Amino acid sequence: SLLMYNHQIMLEDSIRYILKNPASNQLYFKDFTPVAMDKWIADSLHPFSWDISNDTLHEGGVVLQKASTRFRGRLYTAWFNPEVPIPNGPWKFGGLPGLIYRVSDEHRFFVYRLTGIVTQAAATASYKTPKKPILSIEKYAQLTDRWLKKYIVDLKAADAACESCSTEIKHFEQLEYFN
């Protein structure tokens, strides 16, 4: 769902809350993992350098235009509608000359798709800059990486023959996480 109030945008999905504040170029999200259960994480908003293509896609009677960007170690492709002049999309994505209808990374590990648009005459809640505790994205990545490493060690300790436990994971520090 999407709520807009005082130029702030609140998105809700099944695993996190995302607050976008274009005026301050900030994004705050609440990730329900052991690392950040009771904390908001602060990050920048729309740090993308998009390559806009002439390629188009017809979806549900709408013509979408293709754009791509490299972000935090992944190549993302977005399809946006230039007829809807809202430079926004899911999660952190935005900054295109139209609403993003879908975006995914090249391996389709991350896939976001617009499933509906709900308009409201007036928002029923006001979402302001979250109160503390707030983690920086750098601190969140560091804590998450540390937690993942410990989790793998604990899995191996519980079952030395665990094949999936020996799988190498790609930690945050190995990604181009900070631009």
Side-chain angles (χ1 to χ4, degrees):
S1 65
L2 170 69
L3 288 175
M4 291 186 71
Y5 187 81
N6 291 339
H7 305 291
Q8 294 182 349
I9 300 162
M10 179 71 180
L11 301 164
E12 297 180 25
D13 66 27
S14 60
I15 58 167
R16 62 177 78 179
Y17 292 101
I18 301 170
L19 171 64
K20 295 180 175 185
N21 188 335
S24 67
N25 197 36
Q26 285 290 298
L27 172 133
Y28 299 93
F29 65 93
K30 200 159 198 168
D31 197 3
F32 298 103
T33 63
V35 171
M37 262 316 212
D38 60 343
K39 298 170 182 69
W40 285 91
I41 296 93
D43 200 356
S44 62
L45 186 59
H46 307 316
F48 304 105
S49 176
W50 291 102
D51 292 319
I52 299 176
S53 164
N54 290 326
D55 294 349
T56 58
L57 171 73
H58 295 266
E59 184 174 286
V62 176
V63 178
L64 303 177
Q65 190 170 352
K66 182 179 180 181
S68 59
T69 190
R70 185 160 288 282
F71 179 66
R72 293 184 177 160
R74 292 185 170 91
L75 177 63
Y76 287 93
T77 299
W79 293 91
F80 69 98
N81 185 347
E83 298 298 316
V84 180
I86 299 172
N88 210 342
W91 181 51
K92 189 177 183 80
F93 294 102
L96 285 167
L99 183 63
I100 297 173
Y101 276 52
R102 54 159 99 171
V103 63
S104 63
D105 71 299
E106 61 194 314
H107 302 292
R108 301 191 55 79
F109 184 75
F110 293 102
V111 178
Y112 300 96
R113 186 178 205 138
L114 179 68
T115 58
I117 298 175
V118 177
T119 59
Q120 293 177 258
T124 57
S126 174
Y127 294 95
K128 298 182 178 164
T129 302
K131 292 184 168 58
K132 301 217 184 258
I134 297 176
L135 291 175
S136 69
I137 191 67
E138 295 85 359
K139 184 68 173 175
Y140 171 71
Q142 179 186 47
L143 291 172
T144 301
D145 188 64
R146 190 178 312 149
W147 178 80
L148 285 171
K149 287 176 182 174
K150 183 181 179 323
Y151 181 73
I152 294 296
V153 168
D154 290 348
L155 282 176
K156 287 180 183 178
D159 182 1
C162 177
E163 289 185 31
S164 63
C165 302
S166 63
T167 304
E168 227 178 279
I169 59 173
K170 192 169 189 179
H171 300 290
F172 281 115
E173 75 233 10
Q174 292 172 308
L175 296 176
E176 298 165 12
Y177 206 76
F178 311 106
N179 349 6

